[in-house]
Structure formats: C-alpha cells, structure tokens
Amino acid sequence: MIEIKNLTKSFGDVLVWEDVSFRIENGETIAVIGRSGCGKSVLLKHINALLSPDSGQVLIDGNDIHEMDYVDQRKIRQKFGILFQGSALFDSINTYENIAFPLRYFTKLKEKEIHDKVMRSLEYVNLEQAAQKQTSELSGGMRKRVGLARAIILEPEYIMYDEPTSGLDPETAEEINELIIRMAETFDITSIVITHDMHSVLDVADKVAFLHNQKLWWFGTLEEMKNSDDKDLLNFITASEYQIK
C-alpha cells in the first residue's frame, strides 16, 4: 500500500502543490490527471524518492521512504517498475539487452535464467520476435512495450506509468491500455498512471486523482468521477474532447 500524507513541494518560490493526501490500496490502479505543469510527474518522483518533499510523507507499506537511508531506499525502489514517457531505452544495445539490464545490475542470475526471464517478459508484451532488434528499428508503440517488459522484469509490486499513451495513434494507445490492465490482473500489481488521456483513464483506472490549483482538487473512484458535478473536473474532462456522460 502507498499512502501520501500532507505532501507539499516547491521549487524555489514556485509552489507546485501543497497538502496532497491520498492512499493507493494494493492491487489498485490510480490515474493522476491534470493540466500540463500541474505537477503530475513531480508527484510520481516523490513516490519513489527521486525528489524530496518540503513537508509530508510517502509511506510504502507503512515505511516513510523519505526517512530511509540510501541503502533502504534502493531496496524499496526495487519494488517499483517504471515505464517512462519516452521509454528511456538504451540505443546502443538491442531489445534483449535493454530488458536484461536490470537483471544484470540488481541480481546475480546466471545467463540461462536471465534469458528465460527476458523472453518471458517479451512474451507478456507480444514482442518475442523483436529480441534481437536494435531500438532504432522499433516503432513508438514497440518501444513502449519494450519499456514495459523491462519495467516488469524484476517482478515489481508497483508500476508507475508516465504518460504511457503519449504520442501514440489511437489503436496503439488501446494496445498499451490493454497491457496495463493485463499487467495489473496477471501480477496483482499496484499501478500509478500519469496521464492526460481520458480514454486511458476510463479504460484502466479504479480511482482518479485530479491535481488542480496547486492542490489535490478531487479524488475518487471512476464511478464517482463519472457522476461528479465538480465544475473544474468536468471542464478538464470536456477540454480533453471526451464525454463521460
């Protein structure tokens, strides 16, 4: 379980958001939405301690990750898989080696074990045939799927998705949404999805956190969002050119 308590963050004199509090239960998928610049990705970086708050807590299974020393933080981070917005693949090595990288860095597995895990991860994202391809040969959607295969290679308890459908055509975006659902169901993974794509929100989310006006403006279930009369939330949804009612 992830619990965010009274989190506040500023960069210099610029307040990003303040007093943000919500909880993510095990196995849930939370979508974090809001306008560009509202601090969605900043929030993501606080959850695995890549950034530190001005005040407040992030509790991972009851432990405040920002109060841990480096060694313990590193252990907690290994519970997380991350699909970066740009996939963050290494262009100097092929698909197989990109996915194998966390296993080589964090484990002492033998080569046969690494091979089996890499191919299994590729199978989950339907890319077994791309193992030896260079990343320059991959389409945008394929790069996302390779990034996801790498994100699950250490069998994480949590996956963080940063704009997973950004820049993709509707059909490919739908494939990524289906994979997010599949990962959550197959591995009972807790997921945090940063997105402005309301199609993704409605497809994958159990709950929604709406960042607005430098605070957590609204938080609730998908059904509650569909029936909300909050004008700012509805304006954001309408601006996304998607109607939920």
Side-chain angles (χ1 to χ4, degrees):
M1 183 179 72
I2 299 174
E3 191 168 6
I4 296 168
K5 290 186 173 183
N6 309 114
L7 213 62
T8 295
K9 180 64 178 180
S10 298
F11 291 111
D13 295 329
V14 179
L15 176 66
V16 181
W17 27 249
E18 61 182 341
D19 200 27
V20 171
S21 299
F22 63 93
R23 187 166 63 184
I24 308 171
E25 302 290 348
N26 290 338
E28 282 187 335
T29 297
I30 301 291
V32 182
I33 63 174
R35 298 178 63 181
S36 297
C38 71
K40 300 188 296 296
S41 294
V42 172
L43 179 61
L44 203 67
K45 291 174 182 177
H46 279 74
I47 292 175
N48 69 345
L50 292 178
L51 287 175
S52 297
D54 299 339
S55 60
Q57 297 176 297
V58 177
L59 305 179
I60 310 295
D61 299 327
N63 301 301
D64 187 348
I65 190 171
H66 294 287
E67 292 297 321
M68 297 177 181
D69 60 27
Y70 173 76
V71 173
D72 288 335
Q73 276 189 352
R74 183 172 173 176
K75 290 178 181 178
I76 290 290
R77 287 194 185 112
Q78 289 183 47
K79 293 184 176 185
F80 286 85
I82 304 176
L83 178 59
F84 296 95
Q85 182 173 353
S87 301
L89 302 181
F90 300 110
D91 291 332
S92 58
I93 55 179
N94 66 18
T95 294
Y96 179 97
E97 291 299 335
N98 264 279
I99 299 169
F101 180 82
L103 295 175
R104 300 193 194 285
Y105 190 79
F106 290 111
T107 77
K108 296 181 179 179
L109 294 177
K110 296 180 179 178
E111 198 59 38
K112 175 64 165 60
E113 295 171 302
I114 290 174
H115 176 270
D116 290 346
K117 282 182 172 289
V118 170
M119 296 312 296
R120 195 176 304 121
S121 288
L122 281 169
E123 182 181 350
Y124 285 136
V125 300
N126 303 314
L127 277 180
E128 307 98 303
Q129 76 285 358
Q132 299 305 316
K133 285 183 177 290
Q134 295 298 314
T135 55
S136 60
E137 300 178 72
L138 304 177
S139 67
M142 291 173 72
R143 291 177 70 91
K144 293 277 189 179
R145 284 190 279 162
V146 171
L148 182 53
R150 187 176 61 185
I152 64 172
I153 197 69
L154 291 175
E155 300 177 6
E157 296 177 29
Y158 308 98
I159 292 187
M160 302 194 295
Y161 299 88
D162 191 1
E163 300 284 3
T165 60
S166 176
L168 302 180
D169 63 82
E171 184 176 356
T172 304
E174 183 64 25
E175 292 175 359
I176 298 299
N177 289 337
E178 290 173 0
L179 282 172
I180 293 172
I181 296 168
R182 183 182 176 191
M183 294 300 108
E185 293 177 347
T186 302
F187 302 109
D188 194 29
I189 285 175
T190 304
S191 306
I192 305 105
V193 183
I194 301 295
T195 187
H196 62 271
D197 181 352
M198 291 307 302
H199 294 269
S200 290
V201 174
L202 294 169
D203 281 347
V204 309
D206 299 307
K207 293 179 181 175
V208 178
F210 175 46
L211 296 177
H212 179 62
N213 280 356
Q214 299 171 316
K215 63 182 68 176
L216 177 62
W217 188 265
W218 189 93
F219 182 81
T221 67
L222 198 61
E223 193 62 30
E224 288 169 340
M225 184 189 75
K226 292 178 180 179
N227 294 295
S228 175
D229 59 1
D230 185 279
K231 292 182 179 180
D232 292 282
L233 176 62
L234 293 176
N235 285 340
F236 176 82
I237 294 169
T238 301
S240 71
E241 299 181 354
Y242 194 88
Q243 299 295 323
I244 62 172
K245 294 186 178 180

